[in-house]
Amino acid sequence: MSAAVEHRGPAPTPAVLAPFARAGGRALMLGHVHPDADVLGTLLALGQALETRDWRVTYGGPHAAPAALGFLPGVDRYRACAAIEGALDVTVLTDCPNPQRTEGLIDQARRAGGLVVNIDHHPDNRRYGDVNWIDVSASATGEMVYELLLALGWPLTPAIATNLFTAIHTDTGSFRYSNVTERTFRIAAALVAAGARPALVSEWLYERRAPDALAWLGEALRRVELSDDGRLAWLALPAGALPERFIESEELVNYPRSVVSVRVACLLREQGDAVKVSLRAKGDVDVQRIAAQFGGGGHANAAGCTLAGGLGEATPRVLAAVRAALAAAPGGGRPVP
Ligand code: 5GP
Ligand code: MN
């Protein structure tokens, strides 16, 4: 197929390919806190490809995979782990901008001898690996791992294709966000050709709500608040207001974001003595810079951070930072007519 190179982003360099060149190595696919589908899908896909080359692969991170992603092929192999055991040749992290997000596991992996390969699309990646491959033009690290397998010349199995397709599907909001490019669709098409089933992935992701979920969703939506000028919407959830398993299974921040006038949406979740904040924008304000003010990070349109203390302190601090960013935005962050 002569046009095969068209959809390729910055190709992985020989330094990125080299750690995987041998057969029969030992690899750890290391996830970060609260792994999402881009982390899990890429770790599983690359690990499964290595296993076809006789590598011994372990999968894990500080937290287990969420139940809602139980459909990812091979996700049962991914474990929450407190310690890294055995010697390693390579440790791969995907979608992880900051090594602190492994809660110390990366240091244990280094002591186990593993060369650390850092594959990510976050602009604020700290380049903590022995090998760093950062492509901020990728909608998801799913695109990058696809490029990697292509460059290695390794075939895509239906399981690998499903894992990568789901990674891209979720990080692009089902191919709706501004990070979607022609390359995204070309890669998605190749993954479908290799056995990913889009309707099945959508059903697994969005059509499997628990019977009580709609009532909880109603409870959540009642709590959405909108600023007087309509540009800022937020949802503040006190500890225990909604079941954790429900919150984990929904992208609740998308609801305040969906209001026509909204330029920035926030979800604030009180968890113990801290508040986890999710920020979303529609292109007027760089929410990664807001999250960074509180020690967090992410992308221009999707970022997050955690503040110590309760909702009563965190909410006004975060909203003030967002209001300041809106005031400084071109056109005051007003919707484009
Ligand atoms: P979410 O709001 O879905 O948790 O995260 C959105 C984006 O922000 C993701 O790209 C995620 O990596 C990033 N992000 C979320 N929370 C944090 C955080 O506490 N620290 C950093 N550095 N990034 C975060
Ligand atoms: Mn990602």
Side-chain angles (χ1 to χ4, degrees):
M1 206 174 72
S2 61
V5 292
E6 270 179 29
H7 62 276
R8 298 185 67 171
T13 60
V16 178
L17 304 181
F20 307 110
R22 57 178 286 197
R26 294 155 303 183
L28 168 65
M29 314 307 288
L30 178 57
H32 64 58
V33 288
H34 303 298
D36 67 10
D38 194 23
V39 180
L40 292 168
T42 48
L43 292 179
L44 292 167
L46 181 52
Q48 286 159 2
L50 287 166
E51 284 171 356
T52 68
R53 310 271 305 157
D54 297 325
W55 282 63
R56 271 192 290 139
V57 183
T58 49
Y59 304 82
H63 296 135
L69 296 176
F71 67 86
L72 290 174
V75 74
D76 49 306
R77 302 262 314 272
Y78 187 93
R79 298 279 153 78
C81 48
I84 307 293
E85 278 152 28
L88 290 169
D89 299 303
V90 177
T91 295
V92 179
L93 293 97
T94 56
D95 206 35
C96 179
N98 183 338
Q100 287 175 358
R101 303 200 88 209
T102 68
E103 297 197 334
L105 291 174
I106 192 172
D107 303 316
Q108 293 189 40
R110 283 189 202 282
R111 285 196 287 275
L115 188 76
V116 172
V117 179
N118 167 15
I119 300 174
D120 190 20
H121 67 136
H122 287 89
D124 58 343
N125 188 284
R126 307 281 172 92
R127 290 169 170 75
Y128 53 82
D130 301 302
V131 177
N132 299 292
W133 180 29
I134 315 303
D135 177 2
V136 299
S137 73
S139 70
T141 46
E143 287 192 11
M144 300 175 70
V145 170
Y146 170 82
E147 303 278 4
L148 177 59
L149 298 184
L150 203 67
L152 288 164
W154 297 353
L156 300 171
T157 64
I160 291 171
T162 300
N163 278 316
L164 294 180
F165 186 86
T166 308
I168 296 169
H169 197 285
T170 53
D171 259 31
T172 58
S174 312
F175 303 95
R176 286 180 298 127
Y177 297 155
S178 58
N179 56 2
V180 173
T181 63
E182 178 189 357
R183 168 188 169 197
T184 312
F185 285 111
R186 288 188 185 275
I187 291 175
L191 294 171
V192 173
R197 296 172 64 188
L200 207 52
V201 170
S202 298
E203 187 181 327
W204 281 328
L205 286 170
Y206 307 120
E207 313 284 343
R208 286 160 54 98
R209 285 194 166 106
D212 61 358
L214 295 187
W216 290 120
L217 193 54
E219 175 63 28
L221 298 184
R222 264 192 333 103
R223 293 171 182 262
V224 172
E225 294 181 70
L226 197 62
S227 64
D228 288 342
D229 65 6
R231 291 182 295 163
L232 166 59
W234 68 97
L235 170 54
L237 295 176
L242 298 172
E244 286 292 315
R245 63 168 172 78
F246 166 74
I247 300 173
E248 298 289 343
S249 66
E250 298 282 340
E251 275 279 297
L252 286 175
V253 70
N254 283 342
Y255 292 97
R257 187 185 123 122
S258 67
V259 175
V260 58
S261 58
V262 167
R263 312 325 292 163
V264 177
C266 312
L267 170 68
L268 302 107
R269 295 169 58 184
E270 197 172 44
Q271 294 177 312
D273 52 8
V275 176
K276 166 86 181 81
V277 181
S278 289
L279 296 163
R280 298 291 186 273
K282 291 182 185 168
D284 309 275
V285 166
D286 181 348
V287 289
Q288 188 262 321
R289 291 172 68 175
I290 300 173
Q293 292 172 36
F294 302 103
H299 305 273
N301 281 342
C305 55
T306 301
L307 280 75
L311 265 187
E313 298 153 67
T315 307
R317 288 181 67 199
V318 171
L319 297 187
V322 174
R323 286 196 164 97
L326 278 166
R334 259 165 244 296
V336 178

